Amino acid sequence: MRLAKWRPYLLVAPAIIVFIVFFIQPIFYMIYLSFHDWNFISPDKTFVGLGNFKELLADTMFLEVIRNTLMYTFFTVLFSISISLLMSIWLNKQGWMYSFVQGAVFSPHIISLVSIAMLWMWIMDADYGLLNWILSLVGLEKVPWLTDPKTALPSLIIIAVWKNIGYFTLIIIAGLQSIPKHLYEAAALDRTPSWRRFAKITFPMLSPSLFFLTIIGILDSIKVFETISIITKGGPLNSTNTLVYYIYENGFIFFKIGYASAAGVILLVILSILTLLYFKVLSKKVHYQ
């Protein structure tokens, strides 16, 4: 009897231990390091209090990194969901052609980020890239996609949107197919215009899927690292440096572990605030029935 009472706790204990060791403990250790000056090699850690945070907030490069991160996140999520919504409405039909296009659209999602980065480095190459070759065919000038501070961040947003569209489209198509048909039949009997059907039936019934994709899109965009590390390394002139790459750069290239940990704490705060805001504000607009 006594063992039966403790069995549920024993069953979940391994998962709880793994969660504490690999998720909770690193967060507290990062907060601890953010109050210290440490170069990752010396056994001594110098306590500096809020010194790392003051230095971060006074650093114009860090403020630029925050701006880049927010711009990248906002436009990536906005365009990914908007384009995916339009494509899913078009592709939500029966037929081999639509099935083929759905598969083709989804394929970027299963390609590794390294391969995607290498592919787009060729497509956006200023001298021999596919995009500039197409522009030259219609008489337009070449664009320095990845080497100009004005176009580098928008170019990375294009790559992120291209990768997201397939996954986002399939999630929205699944949402469209779960909408009860009798709602559209009732609207047809009332001769409701198509735009009103979308506003009153389709969009509200899709709100759980759109809410899920917004959260996933925000978290993935703020954590972007691989494409920046491979394609631009934060340049040119810090124009594509985002928060996660900035943390990596200071921690594992410049060995400023305390400084990088302080930036990590700020990233944690931003993620927590954004998640709470979205659950507080957008969850009220979500209709599950």
Side-chain angles (χ1 to χ4, degrees), residues 203-237:
F203 193 78
M205 297 300 287
L206 277 179
S207 55
S209 302
L210 298 177
F211 180 66
F212 167 75
L213 292 176
T214 302
I215 296 295
I216 295 295
I218 288 173
L219 296 180
D220 282 349
S221 299
I222 286 182
K223 294 187 300 180
V224 61
F225 174 77
E226 291 89 347
T227 49
I228 292 173
S229 174
I230 296 169
I231 298 177
T232 62
K233 300 191 184 309
L237 299 177

PDB file of all heavy atoms in Angstrom, residues 203-237:
ATOM      1  N   PHE A 203     -11.572  33.098 -39.789  1.00  0.00           N
ATOM      2  CA  PHE A 203     -10.523  33.686 -38.947  1.00  0.00           C
ATOM      3  C   PHE A 203     -10.721  33.365 -37.455  1.00  0.00           C
ATOM      4  O   PHE A 203      -9.768  32.948 -36.787  1.00  0.00           O
ATOM      5  CB  PHE A 203     -10.449  35.196 -39.170  1.00  0.00           C
ATOM      6  CG  PHE A 203      -9.218  35.820 -38.602  1.00  0.00           C
ATOM      7  CD1 PHE A 203      -7.998  35.713 -39.257  1.00  0.00           C
ATOM      8  CD2 PHE A 203      -9.257  36.485 -37.390  1.00  0.00           C
ATOM      9  CE1 PHE A 203      -6.850  36.263 -38.718  1.00  0.00           C
ATOM     10  CE2 PHE A 203      -8.117  37.042 -36.843  1.00  0.00           C
ATOM     11  CZ  PHE A 203      -6.912  36.931 -37.510  1.00  0.00           C
ATOM     12  N   PRO A 204     -11.932  33.522 -36.891  1.00  0.00           N
ATOM     13  CA  PRO A 204     -12.095  33.156 -35.469  1.00  0.00           C
ATOM     14  C   PRO A 204     -11.821  31.678 -35.200  1.00  0.00           C
ATOM     15  O   PRO A 204     -11.223  31.335 -34.180  1.00  0.00           O
ATOM     16  CB  PRO A 204     -13.558  33.506 -35.183  1.00  0.00           C
ATOM     17  CG  PRO A 204     -13.928  34.512 -36.204  1.00  0.00           C
ATOM     18  CD  PRO A 204     -13.152  34.146 -37.429  1.00  0.00           C
ATOM     19  N   MET A 205     -12.246  30.780 -36.126  1.00  0.00           N
ATOM     20  CA  MET A 205     -12.017  29.356 -35.899  1.00  0.00           C
ATOM     21  C   MET A 205     -10.555  28.970 -36.073  1.00  0.00           C
ATOM     22  O   MET A 205     -10.117  27.936 -35.583  1.00  0.00           O
ATOM     23  CB  MET A 205     -12.896  28.536 -36.864  1.00  0.00           C
ATOM     24  CG  MET A 205     -14.394  28.726 -36.659  1.00  0.00           C
ATOM     25  SD  MET A 205     -14.947  28.259 -35.002  1.00  0.00           S
ATOM     26  CE  MET A 205     -14.855  26.493 -35.070  1.00  0.00           C
ATOM     27  N   LEU A 206      -9.813  29.818 -36.811  1.00  0.00           N
ATOM     28  CA  LEU A 206      -8.373  29.559 -36.967  1.00  0.00           C
ATOM     29  C   LEU A 206      -7.543  30.154 -35.831  1.00  0.00           C
ATOM     30  O   LEU A 206      -6.332  29.946 -35.780  1.00  0.00           O
ATOM     31  CB  LEU A 206      -7.876  30.161 -38.289  1.00  0.00           C
ATOM     32  CG  LEU A 206      -8.072  29.347 -39.566  1.00  0.00           C
ATOM     33  CD1 LEU A 206      -7.520  30.139 -40.744  1.00  0.00           C
ATOM     34  CD2 LEU A 206      -7.391  28.000 -39.461  1.00  0.00           C
ATOM     35  N   SER A 207      -8.172  30.902 -34.941  1.00  0.00           N
ATOM     36  CA  SER A 207      -7.408  31.630 -33.920  1.00  0.00           C
ATOM     37  C   SER A 207      -6.529  30.727 -33.047  1.00  0.00           C
ATOM     38  O   SER A 207      -5.405  31.134 -32.698  1.00  0.00           O
ATOM     39  CB  SER A 207      -8.336  32.484 -33.051  1.00  0.00           C
ATOM     40  OG  SER A 207      -9.353  31.697 -32.487  1.00  0.00           O
ATOM     41  N   PRO A 208      -6.938  29.486 -32.668  1.00  0.00           N
ATOM     42  CA  PRO A 208      -5.995  28.647 -31.902  1.00  0.00           C
ATOM     43  C   PRO A 208      -4.720  28.329 -32.681  1.00  0.00           C
ATOM     44  O   PRO A 208      -3.624  28.369 -32.118  1.00  0.00           O
ATOM     45  CB  PRO A 208      -6.811  27.374 -31.616  1.00  0.00           C
ATOM     46  CG  PRO A 208      -8.227  27.795 -31.716  1.00  0.00           C
ATOM     47  CD  PRO A 208      -8.249  28.839 -32.788  1.00  0.00           C
ATOM     48  N   SER A 209      -4.870  28.021 -33.989  1.00  0.00           N
ATOM     49  CA  SER A 209      -3.685  27.724 -34.809  1.00  0.00           C
ATOM     50  C   SER A 209      -2.803  28.958 -34.956  1.00  0.00           C
ATOM     51  O   SER A 209      -1.572  28.873 -34.834  1.00  0.00           O
ATOM     52  CB  SER A 209      -4.115  27.240 -36.203  1.00  0.00           C
ATOM     53  OG  SER A 209      -4.932  26.106 -36.103  1.00  0.00           O
ATOM     54  N   LEU A 210      -3.416  30.118 -35.209  1.00  0.00           N
ATOM     55  CA  LEU A 210      -2.639  31.346 -35.383  1.00  0.00           C
ATOM     56  C   LEU A 210      -1.953  31.752 -34.075  1.00  0.00           C
ATOM     57  O   LEU A 210      -0.816  32.239 -34.086  1.00  0.00           O
ATOM     58  CB  LEU A 210      -3.551  32.474 -35.885  1.00  0.00           C
ATOM     59  CG  LEU A 210      -4.206  32.244 -37.248  1.00  0.00           C
ATOM     60  CD1 LEU A 210      -5.133  33.387 -37.605  1.00  0.00           C
ATOM     61  CD2 LEU A 210      -3.142  32.060 -38.327  1.00  0.00           C
ATOM     62  N   PHE A 211      -2.639  31.532 -32.962  1.00  0.00           N
ATOM     63  CA  PHE A 211      -2.048  31.847 -31.656  1.00  0.00           C
ATOM     64  C   PHE A 211      -0.834  30.958 -31.397  1.00  0.00           C
ATOM     65  O   PHE A 211       0.231  31.441 -30.973  1.00  0.00           O
ATOM     66  CB  PHE A 211      -3.103  31.626 -30.565  1.00  0.00           C
ATOM     67  CG  PHE A 211      -2.616  31.927 -29.176  1.00  0.00           C
ATOM     68  CD1 PHE A 211      -2.273  33.211 -28.799  1.00  0.00           C
ATOM     69  CD2 PHE A 211      -2.512  30.910 -28.239  1.00  0.00           C
ATOM     70  CE1 PHE A 211      -1.823  33.480 -27.518  1.00  0.00           C
ATOM     71  CE2 PHE A 211      -2.062  31.162 -26.958  1.00  0.00           C
ATOM     72  CZ  PHE A 211      -1.726  32.451 -26.599  1.00  0.00           C
ATOM     73  N   PHE A 212      -0.972  29.664 -31.697  1.00  0.00           N
ATOM     74  CA  PHE A 212       0.149  28.729 -31.531  1.00  0.00           C
ATOM     75  C   PHE A 212       1.337  29.133 -32.406  1.00  0.00           C
ATOM     76  O   PHE A 212       2.484  29.179 -31.954  1.00  0.00           O
ATOM     77  CB  PHE A 212      -0.337  27.316 -31.875  1.00  0.00           C
ATOM     78  CG  PHE A 212       0.763  26.320 -32.044  1.00  0.00           C
ATOM     79  CD1 PHE A 212       1.438  25.810 -30.940  1.00  0.00           C
ATOM     80  CD2 PHE A 212       1.133  25.878 -33.309  1.00  0.00           C
ATOM     81  CE1 PHE A 212       2.458  24.890 -31.099  1.00  0.00           C
ATOM     82  CE2 PHE A 212       2.151  24.964 -33.477  1.00  0.00           C
ATOM     83  CZ  PHE A 212       2.815  24.462 -32.376  1.00  0.00           C
ATOM     84  N   LEU A 213       1.045  29.454 -33.682  1.00  0.00           N
ATOM     85  CA  LEU A 213       2.133  29.814 -34.602  1.00  0.00           C
ATOM     86  C   LEU A 213       2.796  31.129 -34.204  1.00  0.00           C
ATOM     87  O   LEU A 213       4.003  31.303 -34.398  1.00  0.00           O
ATOM     88  CB  LEU A 213       1.582  29.922 -36.033  1.00  0.00           C
ATOM     89  CG  LEU A 213       1.132  28.593 -36.650  1.00  0.00           C
ATOM     90  CD1 LEU A 213       0.505  28.831 -38.017  1.00  0.00           C
ATOM     91  CD2 LEU A 213       2.310  27.638 -36.767  1.00  0.00           C
ATOM     92  N   THR A 214       2.027  32.055 -33.643  1.00  0.00           N
ATOM     93  CA  THR A 214       2.623  33.322 -33.192  1.00  0.00           C
ATOM     94  C   THR A 214       3.621  33.083 -32.067  1.00  0.00           C
ATOM     95  O   THR A 214       4.740  33.617 -32.085  1.00  0.00           O
ATOM     96  CB  THR A 214       1.517  34.282 -32.713  1.00  0.00           C
ATOM     97  OG1 THR A 214       0.599  34.493 -33.771  1.00  0.00           O
ATOM     98  CG2 THR A 214       2.100  35.618 -32.296  1.00  0.00           C
ATOM     99  N   ILE A 215       3.241  32.264 -31.103  1.00  0.00           N
ATOM    100  CA  ILE A 215       4.149  31.961 -29.989  1.00  0.00           C
ATOM    101  C   ILE A 215       5.397  31.240 -30.485  1.00  0.00           C
ATOM    102  O   ILE A 215       6.535  31.617 -30.153  1.00  0.00           O
ATOM    103  CB  ILE A 215       3.428  31.092 -28.934  1.00  0.00           C
ATOM    104  CG1 ILE A 215       2.262  31.865 -28.311  1.00  0.00           C
ATOM    105  CG2 ILE A 215       4.403  30.643 -27.855  1.00  0.00           C
ATOM    106  CD1 ILE A 215       2.676  33.068 -27.511  1.00  0.00           C
ATOM    107  N   ILE A 216       5.184  30.198 -31.318  1.00  0.00           N
ATOM    108  CA  ILE A 216       6.324  29.452 -31.851  1.00  0.00           C
ATOM    109  C   ILE A 216       7.228  30.361 -32.683  1.00  0.00           C
ATOM    110  O   ILE A 216       8.463  30.319 -32.581  1.00  0.00           O
ATOM    111  CB  ILE A 216       5.827  28.272 -32.725  1.00  0.00           C
ATOM    112  CG1 ILE A 216       5.077  27.268 -31.860  1.00  0.00           C
ATOM    113  CG2 ILE A 216       6.985  27.596 -33.449  1.00  0.00           C
ATOM    114  CD1 ILE A 216       5.935  26.579 -30.833  1.00  0.00           C
ATOM    115  N   GLY A 217       6.613  31.199 -33.518  1.00  0.00           N
ATOM    116  CA  GLY A 217       7.385  32.091 -34.380  1.00  0.00           C
ATOM    117  C   GLY A 217       8.215  33.090 -33.585  1.00  0.00           C
ATOM    118  O   GLY A 217       9.374  33.350 -33.921  1.00  0.00           O
ATOM    119  N   ILE A 218       7.641  33.652 -32.534  1.00  0.00           N
ATOM    120  CA  ILE A 218       8.373  34.623 -31.710  1.00  0.00           C
ATOM    121  C   ILE A 218       9.573  33.959 -31.021  1.00  0.00           C
ATOM    122  O   ILE A 218      10.699  34.480 -31.045  1.00  0.00           O
ATOM    123  CB  ILE A 218       7.429  35.257 -30.672  1.00  0.00           C
ATOM    124  CG1 ILE A 218       6.456  36.205 -31.359  1.00  0.00           C
ATOM    125  CG2 ILE A 218       8.213  36.016 -29.606  1.00  0.00           C
ATOM    126  CD1 ILE A 218       5.391  36.749 -30.444  1.00  0.00           C
ATOM    127  N   LEU A 219       9.323  32.807 -30.415  1.00  0.00           N
ATOM    128  CA  LEU A 219      10.406  32.139 -29.692  1.00  0.00           C
ATOM    129  C   LEU A 219      11.528  31.729 -30.643  1.00  0.00           C
ATOM    130  O   LEU A 219      12.712  31.914 -30.339  1.00  0.00           O
ATOM    131  CB  LEU A 219       9.861  30.912 -28.940  1.00  0.00           C
ATOM    132  CG  LEU A 219       8.849  31.215 -27.833  1.00  0.00           C
ATOM    133  CD1 LEU A 219       8.379  29.933 -27.164  1.00  0.00           C
ATOM    134  CD2 LEU A 219       9.460  32.141 -26.787  1.00  0.00           C
ATOM    135  N   ASP A 220      11.168  31.181 -31.813  1.00  0.00           N
ATOM    136  CA  ASP A 220      12.196  30.761 -32.776  1.00  0.00           C
ATOM    137  C   ASP A 220      12.962  31.954 -33.333  1.00  0.00           C
ATOM    138  O   ASP A 220      14.178  31.879 -33.545  1.00  0.00           O
ATOM    139  CB  ASP A 220      11.543  29.989 -33.933  1.00  0.00           C
ATOM    140  CG  ASP A 220      11.209  28.569 -33.535  1.00  0.00           C
ATOM    141  OD1 ASP A 220      11.676  28.135 -32.464  1.00  0.00           O
ATOM    142  OD2 ASP A 220      10.484  27.892 -34.276  1.00  0.00           O
ATOM    143  N   SER A 221      12.269  33.051 -33.587  1.00  0.00           N
ATOM    144  CA  SER A 221      12.936  34.219 -34.184  1.00  0.00           C
ATOM    145  C   SER A 221      13.884  34.882 -33.186  1.00  0.00           C
ATOM    146  O   SER A 221      14.979  35.308 -33.562  1.00  0.00           O
ATOM    147  CB  SER A 221      11.881  35.234 -34.653  1.00  0.00           C
ATOM    148  OG  SER A 221      11.052  34.665 -35.623  1.00  0.00           O
ATOM    149  N   ILE A 222      13.469  34.977 -31.943  1.00  0.00           N
ATOM    150  CA  ILE A 222      14.354  35.608 -30.956  1.00  0.00           C
ATOM    151  C   ILE A 222      15.596  34.755 -30.716  1.00  0.00           C
ATOM    152  O   ILE A 222      16.678  35.274 -30.450  1.00  0.00           O
ATOM    153  CB  ILE A 222      13.582  35.839 -29.639  1.00  0.00           C
ATOM    154  CG1 ILE A 222      12.598  37.002 -29.817  1.00  0.00           C
ATOM    155  CG2 ILE A 222      14.529  36.155 -28.481  1.00  0.00           C
ATOM    156  CD1 ILE A 222      11.829  37.360 -28.585  1.00  0.00           C
ATOM    157  N   LYS A 223      15.454  33.431 -30.887  1.00  0.00           N
ATOM    158  CA  LYS A 223      16.596  32.541 -30.640  1.00  0.00           C
ATOM    159  C   LYS A 223      17.423  32.290 -31.897  1.00  0.00           C
ATOM    160  O   LYS A 223      18.285  31.402 -31.880  1.00  0.00           O
ATOM    161  CB  LYS A 223      16.090  31.206 -30.090  1.00  0.00           C
ATOM    162  CG  LYS A 223      15.457  31.306 -28.705  1.00  0.00           C
ATOM    163  CD  LYS A 223      15.130  29.947 -28.149  1.00  0.00           C
ATOM    164  CE  LYS A 223      14.172  29.205 -29.024  1.00  0.00           C
ATOM    165  NZ  LYS A 223      13.812  27.867 -28.517  1.00  0.00           N
ATOM    166  N   VAL A 224      17.191  33.018 -32.976  1.00  0.00           N
ATOM    167  CA  VAL A 224      17.901  32.740 -34.234  1.00  0.00           C
ATOM    168  C   VAL A 224      19.413  32.820 -34.013  1.00  0.00           C
ATOM    169  O   VAL A 224      19.926  33.728 -33.370  1.00  0.00           O
ATOM    170  CB  VAL A 224      17.464  33.740 -35.332  1.00  0.00           C
ATOM    171  CG1 VAL A 224      17.787  35.186 -34.945  1.00  0.00           C
ATOM    172  CG2 VAL A 224      18.112  33.395 -36.650  1.00  0.00           C
ATOM    173  N   PHE A 225      20.128  31.824 -34.554  1.00  0.00           N
ATOM    174  CA  PHE A 225      21.582  31.788 -34.377  1.00  0.00           C
ATOM    175  C   PHE A 225      22.286  31.217 -35.618  1.00  0.00           C
ATOM    176  O   PHE A 225      23.225  31.821 -36.142  1.00  0.00           O
ATOM    177  CB  PHE A 225      21.952  30.949 -33.149  1.00  0.00           C
ATOM    178  CG  PHE A 225      23.425  30.750 -32.984  1.00  0.00           C
ATOM    179  CD1 PHE A 225      24.222  31.775 -32.488  1.00  0.00           C
ATOM    180  CD2 PHE A 225      24.026  29.556 -33.352  1.00  0.00           C
ATOM    181  CE1 PHE A 225      25.593  31.611 -32.355  1.00  0.00           C
ATOM    182  CE2 PHE A 225      25.393  29.384 -33.228  1.00  0.00           C
ATOM    183  CZ  PHE A 225      26.169  30.406 -32.717  1.00  0.00           C
ATOM    184  N   GLU A 226      21.834  30.062 -36.096  1.00  0.00           N
ATOM    185  CA  GLU A 226      22.596  29.323 -37.112  1.00  0.00           C
ATOM    186  C   GLU A 226      22.810  30.135 -38.395  1.00  0.00           C
ATOM    187  O   GLU A 226      23.941  30.224 -38.891  1.00  0.00           O
ATOM    188  CB  GLU A 226      21.884  28.002 -37.457  1.00  0.00           C
ATOM    189  CG  GLU A 226      21.897  26.974 -36.353  1.00  0.00           C
ATOM    190  CD  GLU A 226      20.711  27.126 -35.423  1.00  0.00           C
ATOM    191  OE1 GLU A 226      20.029  28.174 -35.505  1.00  0.00           O
ATOM    192  OE2 GLU A 226      20.443  26.209 -34.622  1.00  0.00           O
ATOM    193  N   THR A 227      21.736  30.701 -38.935  1.00  0.00           N
ATOM    194  CA  THR A 227      21.878  31.416 -40.210  1.00  0.00           C
ATOM    195  C   THR A 227      22.791  32.636 -40.065  1.00  0.00           C
ATOM    196  O   THR A 227      23.577  32.947 -40.952  1.00  0.00           O
ATOM    197  CB  THR A 227      20.502  31.872 -40.736  1.00  0.00           C
ATOM    198  OG1 THR A 227      19.786  32.518 -39.688  1.00  0.00           O
ATOM    199  CG2 THR A 227      19.701  30.704 -41.244  1.00  0.00           C
ATOM    200  N   ILE A 228      22.692  33.323 -38.924  1.00  0.00           N
ATOM    201  CA  ILE A 228      23.556  34.490 -38.700  1.00  0.00           C
ATOM    202  C   ILE A 228      25.003  34.049 -38.549  1.00  0.00           C
ATOM    203  O   ILE A 228      25.924  34.655 -39.108  1.00  0.00           O
ATOM    204  CB  ILE A 228      23.082  35.261 -37.457  1.00  0.00           C
ATOM    205  CG1 ILE A 228      21.721  35.896 -37.733  1.00  0.00           C
ATOM    206  CG2 ILE A 228      24.093  36.330 -37.051  1.00  0.00           C
ATOM    207  CD1 ILE A 228      21.091  36.535 -36.542  1.00  0.00           C
ATOM    208  N   SER A 229      25.214  32.968 -37.802  1.00  0.00           N
ATOM    209  CA  SER A 229      26.574  32.484 -37.582  1.00  0.00           C
ATOM    210  C   SER A 229      27.240  32.074 -38.889  1.00  0.00           C
ATOM    211  O   SER A 229      28.431  32.306 -39.092  1.00  0.00           O
ATOM    212  CB  SER A 229      26.543  31.297 -36.614  1.00  0.00           C
ATOM    213  OG  SER A 229      27.807  30.731 -36.483  1.00  0.00           O
ATOM    214  N   ILE A 230      26.481  31.465 -39.802  1.00  0.00           N
ATOM    215  CA  ILE A 230      27.062  30.959 -41.046  1.00  0.00           C
ATOM    216  C   ILE A 230      27.144  32.042 -42.126  1.00  0.00           C
ATOM    217  O   ILE A 230      28.149  32.168 -42.815  1.00  0.00           O
ATOM    218  CB  ILE A 230      26.225  29.772 -41.566  1.00  0.00           C
ATOM    219  CG1 ILE A 230      26.291  28.613 -40.573  1.00  0.00           C
ATOM    220  CG2 ILE A 230      26.724  29.320 -42.943  1.00  0.00           C
ATOM    221  CD1 ILE A 230      25.311  27.519 -40.855  1.00  0.00           C
ATOM    222  N   ILE A 231      26.098  32.862 -42.239  1.00  0.00           N
ATOM    223  CA  ILE A 231      26.016  33.776 -43.387  1.00  0.00           C
ATOM    224  C   ILE A 231      26.694  35.120 -43.126  1.00  0.00           C
ATOM    225  O   ILE A 231      27.511  35.578 -43.925  1.00  0.00           O
ATOM    226  CB  ILE A 231      24.540  33.989 -43.777  1.00  0.00           C
ATOM    227  CG1 ILE A 231      23.907  32.660 -44.213  1.00  0.00           C
ATOM    228  CG2 ILE A 231      24.432  34.996 -44.912  1.00  0.00           C
ATOM    229  CD1 ILE A 231      22.434  32.755 -44.541  1.00  0.00           C
ATOM    230  N   THR A 232      26.347  35.784 -42.034  1.00  0.00           N
ATOM    231  CA  THR A 232      26.813  37.169 -41.859  1.00  0.00           C
ATOM    232  C   THR A 232      27.716  37.384 -40.639  1.00  0.00           C
ATOM    233  O   THR A 232      28.399  38.388 -40.563  1.00  0.00           O
ATOM    234  CB  THR A 232      25.608  38.113 -41.709  1.00  0.00           C
ATOM    235  OG1 THR A 232      24.879  37.749 -40.532  1.00  0.00           O
ATOM    236  CG2 THR A 232      24.706  38.038 -42.922  1.00  0.00           C
ATOM    237  N   LYS A 233      27.669  36.479 -39.677  1.00  0.00           N
ATOM    238  CA  LYS A 233      28.412  36.627 -38.421  1.00  0.00           C
ATOM    239  C   LYS A 233      28.148  37.983 -37.756  1.00  0.00           C
ATOM    240  O   LYS A 233      29.046  38.641 -37.229  1.00  0.00           O
ATOM    241  CB  LYS A 233      29.909  36.427 -38.654  1.00  0.00           C
ATOM    242  CG  LYS A 233      30.235  35.036 -39.207  1.00  0.00           C
ATOM    243  CD  LYS A 233      31.701  34.752 -39.187  1.00  0.00           C
ATOM    244  CE  LYS A 233      32.006  33.405 -39.831  1.00  0.00           C
ATOM    245  NZ  LYS A 233      31.197  32.292 -39.304  1.00  0.00           N
ATOM    246  N   GLY A 234      26.908  38.416 -37.835  1.00  0.00           N
ATOM    247  CA  GLY A 234      26.521  39.667 -37.176  1.00  0.00           C
ATOM    248  C   GLY A 234      26.751  40.916 -38.005  1.00  0.00           C
ATOM    249  O   GLY A 234      26.286  41.995 -37.649  1.00  0.00           O
ATOM    250  N   GLY A 235      27.481  40.817 -39.099  1.00  0.00           N
ATOM    251  CA  GLY A 235      27.788  41.991 -39.916  1.00  0.00           C
ATOM    252  C   GLY A 235      26.812  42.151 -41.063  1.00  0.00           C
ATOM    253  O   GLY A 235      25.831  41.408 -41.140  1.00  0.00           O
ATOM    254  N   PRO A 236      27.047  43.091 -41.966  1.00  0.00           N
ATOM    255  CA  PRO A 236      28.103  44.099 -41.889  1.00  0.00           C
ATOM    256  C   PRO A 236      27.734  45.232 -40.924  1.00  0.00           C
ATOM    257  O   PRO A 236      26.563  45.583 -40.810  1.00  0.00           O
ATOM    258  CB  PRO A 236      28.169  44.625 -43.333  1.00  0.00           C
ATOM    259  CG  PRO A 236      26.789  44.375 -43.869  1.00  0.00           C
ATOM    260  CD  PRO A 236      26.276  43.140 -43.209  1.00  0.00           C
ATOM    261  N   LEU A 237      28.735  45.725 -40.227  1.00  0.00           N
ATOM    262  CA  LEU A 237      28.593  46.832 -39.272  1.00  0.00           C
ATOM    263  C   LEU A 237      27.522  46.550 -38.215  1.00  0.00           C
ATOM    264  O   LEU A 237      26.717  47.421 -37.879  1.00  0.00           O
ATOM    265  CB  LEU A 237      28.264  48.146 -40.019  1.00  0.00           C
ATOM    266  CG  LEU A 237      29.313  48.624 -41.026  1.00  0.00           C
ATOM    267  CD1 LEU A 237      28.824  49.871 -41.745  1.00  0.00           C
ATOM    268  CD2 LEU A 237      30.637  48.908 -40.314  1.00  0.00           C
TER     269      LEU A 237
END
